[in-house]
Amino acid sequence: MTKFLFFTLCFLLTVSTCFSQEIIPLWPEGIPNDQETNETETRENGDIVWIEKVQKPTLEIYLPTKKNATGRAVVICPGGGYRGLAYDWEGTDIAKYLNSKGIAAFVLKYRLPKSKDVISGYNAPLHDAQRAIRLVRQNAEKWNVSKDQIGVMGFSAGGHLASTLGTHYDQGEKSNTVDSLSARPDFMVLIYPVITMKAPTTHGGSRNNLIGEKPKQEFIDLYSNELYVNKNTPPTFILHSSDDKSVPVENSILFYQALQREGVYSEIHIYPTGGHGFSLAIGQGHLQSWVERLWDWMDSLE
C-alpha cells in the first residue's frame, strides 16, 4: 500500500467517524408489550427512507459540538400515519438541522400499532416515546443537555404521538429506575399534527392504524388529545397549512384553543399553502421560513 493510499484511507475513516451517530435500543433489558413472530422490519430507500414493521425501537443520537451546544434537546417523532416512518424526511434531516442551532436531537424509531410483534398496539408508540424522554433525561450529563430543556417534536402522526406524550405522560406503569424519571416533555413542537380521533376532523389512516376501523368511543376520546390539555401541559409551538388535504388544519386549531383556555404558553402559525408533509419546506417560498419562527419561539422559553 502506498503512503498516499494509506493516508487517504485514514482520512476517510476519520470523516466517517466524525459524522456517524450512535443508535441505542430503547429497551435493552427487554421490550415490553412484545411477542416473538416471524415478522421482519422493512426499510425502503427511495426518495425518502421509509420504515415499516418496527421490531426494535431505537434512539438515533445527533449531538452538536460542545462549544455550540445550547443545552436544549429534542426527541423527534417522524410521521407516517402510524403505518410507517418517514425516517429521514421527518427525522434525521430534522436532527441535523437542529444540530446547526446547537440543539441535541434524538430520532425515535417507535413501534407501530399493527406490527405483529406488538401485543397491544394502541399504547406501544406512547410507551416508546415516554421511554425516549426518560432516557435523554437519564443521560443528560453524558449528552451535554439540561434535564429541564428536553422537548418533543412530531410530524403528522408523529405529531399525534408527541401531543399524546405531552398530555398523557404519566399514563402507564413505572417498573424500574429509568421509568421512575419524569416523561413530561419540557416543550412540544407539533408540525401539521394529527390531534383528534373524532370524525370528520381526524386523519382516517392514523385513526384506523392506531385504534382500529371501528374503535370504541372510549379509545376515540382517550386519543383525542385536545380533551386532555390542562395547566401542566408543556408550552407548545404549532405549525400547519390551510390547504392540508390529509390532516385538516382544524386539528391544530382545536389543540391551540385548548391550550389557550388553560393558559398554556403557546404559539401557532398557519400558512395559506404548503399542503401536507413538507418537512423543512426547502425551496417552498416563505413557508420555508417556519424554522425561523420556531427558533424565535424557542428563544422565548424560560
Side-chain angles (χ1 to χ4, degrees):
M1 181 183 294
T2 67
K3 287 186 178 180
F4 174 78
L5 180 57
F6 174 78
F7 286 115
T8 299
L9 287 173
C10 288
F11 172 76
L12 291 174
L13 285 171
T14 301
V15 171
S16 176
T17 301
C18 289
F19 283 91
S20 65
Q21 300 295 333
E22 183 182 5
I23 299 177
I24 64 171
L26 279 186
W27 307 97
E29 72 280 10
I31 304 171
N33 188 26
D34 182 73
Q35 61 187 353
E36 288 190 15
T37 71
N38 60 357
E39 185 178 70
T40 57
E41 183 173 305
T42 63
R43 178 185 292 246
E44 297 178 11
N45 297 314
D47 289 342
I48 65 171
V49 174
W50 177 257
I51 299 175
E52 292 187 6
K53 303 174 184 177
V54 172
Q55 303 297 296
K56 295 180 179 180
T58 59
L59 269 186
E60 185 163 354
I61 304 167
Y62 286 79
L63 302 178
T65 61
K66 287 187 176 182
K67 191 170 183 179
N68 284 329
T70 63
R72 189 163 283 147
V74 175
V75 171
I76 304 169
C77 305
Y82 282 122
R83 180 175 69 86
L85 302 176
Y87 192 74
D88 55 352
W89 181 245
E90 295 171 345
T92 56
D93 280 4
I94 307 302
K96 295 168 188 174
Y97 200 91
L98 289 171
N99 275 183
S100 74
K101 298 294 185 178
I103 300 170
F106 303 83
V107 182
L108 176 61
K109 187 176 74 171
Y110 55 92
R111 287 172 293 168
L112 299 160
K114 289 199 170 181
S115 170
K116 292 179 181 179
D117 278 30
V118 176
I119 298 169
S120 177
Y122 65 89
N123 56 15
L126 175 58
H127 290 168
D128 288 349
Q130 290 172 324
R131 171 53 75 100
I133 289 286
R134 287 168 173 150
L135 280 176
V136 176
R137 197 154 271 144
Q138 182 189 47
N139 291 280
E141 184 175 352
K142 173 183 176 182
W143 293 328
N144 198 32
V145 302
S146 300
K147 291 183 178 180
D148 59 354
Q149 293 191 48
I150 301 169
V152 65
M153 182 178 195
F155 296 75
S156 192
H160 183 266
L161 176 55
S163 64
T164 305
L165 177 64
T167 53
H168 298 69
Y169 49 85
D170 279 337
Q171 181 179 316
E173 298 179 358
K174 299 178 180 180
S175 58
N176 59 33
T177 303
V178 178
D179 292 336
S180 68
L181 298 173
S182 173
R184 179 186 179 274
D186 294 299
F187 58 90
M188 292 191 288
V189 179
L190 309 178
I191 311 299
Y192 40 86
V194 180
I195 293 293
T196 190
M197 291 288 111
K198 295 183 178 182
T201 307
T202 189
H203 175 245
S206 296
R207 169 172 147 155
N208 293 346
N209 288 322
L210 182 64
I211 57 176
E213 294 184 9
K214 296 180 179 180
K216 295 179 180 179
Q217 188 62 44
E218 63 182 284
F219 287 106
I220 294 173
D221 291 343
L222 179 63
Y223 288 106
S224 291
N225 295 327
E226 74 278 9
L227 301 178
Y228 292 89
V229 173
N230 59 40
K231 296 185 185 302
N232 293 321
T233 301
T236 304
F237 177 95
I238 308 172
L239 174 75
H240 221 119
S241 66
S242 294
D243 64 346
D244 191 327
K245 304 301 183 186
S246 297
V247 178
V249 68
E250 286 77 11
N251 280 267
S252 286
I253 294 171
L254 280 171
F255 202 69
Y256 180 72
Q257 289 174 331
L259 291 165
Q260 289 296 293
R261 282 194 298 270
E262 294 295 332
V264 177
Y265 187 73
S266 53
E267 182 169 310
I268 187 170
H269 292 269
I270 300 176
Y271 284 75
T273 59
H276 187 74
F278 49 76
S279 183
L280 292 169
I282 294 172
Q284 295 190 47
H286 83 298
L287 179 60
Q288 68 185 349
S289 71
W290 76 261
V291 291
E292 299 305 322
R293 307 292 74 76
L294 175 59
W295 310 140
D296 291 342
W297 179 79
M298 281 190 172
D299 284 342
S300 74
L301 297 176
E302 295 181 356

